[in-house]
Amino acid sequence: QKEVEQDPGPLSVPEGAIVSLNCTYSNSAFQYFMWYRQYSRKGPELLMYTYSSGNKEDGRFTAQVDKSSKYISLFIRDSQPSDSATYLCAMSVTSYDKVIFGPGTSLSVIP
Amino acid sequence: DGGITQSPKYLFRKEGQNVTLSCEQNLNHDAMYWYRQDPGQGLRLIYYSQIVNDFQKGDIAEGYSVSREKKESFPLTVTSAQKNPTAFYLCASSSSRGTGLMGQPQHFGDGTRLSIL
């Protein structure tokens, strides 16, 4: 079993939809959870990070962590064509530890 | 405008050849990283450096080498010992100042795509 798993997609939604992107993980010691957005032929950019459980909101984006289920989610409200990208989840045990990345989910928002 | 510059964007390697990928940052970040990205796989850590003149192997360091002689620069050499070098290589940096993050890469360059001739 891989340490971090993501459905690769592609996920295709109409503009304005609410998007849910998810990752599952196997290591219960993970405490830092990150989401990166990667446009085609570009490097990833850090969107959000959360520590431990709970929700964090930033504009149209909400990150949610459920440590009991070993499951994290990124919700995108009012999705836009500019949100079309690959979304990578990543996690680590401490703030100094190596980060483990998921393979990414490809999202396409159709105008 | 601060950021990470990787060059070249595309690189071709011949059999038995070593090639060097450049990574320069003007963010004044202490930590720098090299990752390899292959289709369907998460980013895998090749090498990282927390401070000048010091670097550590990541998960897939075999066939690669790095140097960190200046804070701004962290070049990666793909040696002929790396038998499957075709991939997208990403350089990243991080700083603990104001973020609470230290090991987590915060800024990435736009990558170098390496192929075998």
Side-chain angles (χ1 to χ4, degrees):
Chain A
Q1 183 188 11
K2 291 183 180 177
E3 271 196 285
V4 180
E5 304 212 48
Q6 274 184 275
D7 185 334
L11 179 62
S12 187
V13 301
E15 183 175 353
I18 296 175
V19 176
S20 172
L21 302 164
N22 310 298
C23 283
T24 58
Y25 61 94
S26 57
N27 186 353
S28 58
F30 285 140
Q31 295 194 90
Y32 288 81
F33 304 92
M34 284 71 68
W35 284 97
Y36 294 83
R37 177 174 62 196
Q38 184 176 21
Y39 291 115
S40 181
R41 289 186 283 276
K42 294 288 189 181
E45 55 179 313
L46 179 63
L47 272 179
M48 300 178 70
Y49 78 93
T50 53
Y51 170 72
S52 195
S53 284
N55 292 2
K56 186 173 184 177
E57 192 173 313
D58 184 1
R60 296 184 296 111
F61 297 88
T62 299
Q64 195 171 76
V65 175
D66 181 350
K67 291 188 74 181
S68 62
S69 302
K70 294 183 205 162
Y71 189 89
I72 68 170
S73 300
L74 178 70
F75 297 97
I76 307 174
R77 288 184 300 282
D78 187 25
S79 56
Q80 303 294 310
S82 58
D83 295 327
S84 298
T86 297
Y87 290 80
L88 312 174
C89 66
M91 42 201 81
S92 64
V93 175
T94 72
S95 63
Y96 285 83
D97 260 338
K98 180 184 71 174
V99 175
I100 308 298
F101 284 85
T105 298
S106 173
L107 171 66
S108 182
V109 180
I110 312 299
Chain B
D1 205 12
I4 296 181
T5 302
Q6 288 188 244
S7 61
K9 280 186 88 66
Y10 301 95
L11 188 57
F12 296 92
R13 195 192 86 170
K14 295 179 184 177
E15 286 288 334
Q17 187 182 41
N18 293 352
V19 292
T20 297
L21 284 59
S22 169
C23 176
E24 303 279 330
Q25 56 106 350
N26 61 2
L27 297 162
N28 198 31
H29 284 178
D30 293 308
M32 296 186 74
Y33 314 80
W34 275 105
Y35 288 92
R36 172 180 170 141
Q37 187 173 35
D38 294 280
Q41 295 193 46
L43 273 65
R44 292 182 291 167
L45 183 64
I46 305 172
Y47 268 98
Y48 65 100
S49 168
Q50 305 273 30
I51 197 168
V52 174
N53 292 323
D54 186 54
F55 48 82
Q56 309 295 328
K57 291 183 180 180
D59 297 319
I60 55 166
E62 187 174 344
Y64 300 97
S65 66
V66 293
S67 62
R68 187 87 186 276
E69 296 175 3
K70 298 187 298 181
K71 189 176 185 177
E72 304 78 24
S73 179
F74 191 40
L76 173 75
T77 296
V78 183
T79 75
S80 57
Q82 172 49 246
K83 297 307 178 191
N84 183 23
T86 298
F88 190 47
Y89 290 87
L90 289 159
C91 179
S93 69
S94 69
S95 170
S96 63
R97 285 187 284 275
T99 65
L101 303 176
M102 184 57 192
Q104 292 86 348
Q106 293 149 20
H107 292 266
F108 281 84
D110 282 338
T112 292
R113 191 164 297 277
L114 176 62
S115 304
I116 297 182
L117 274 179

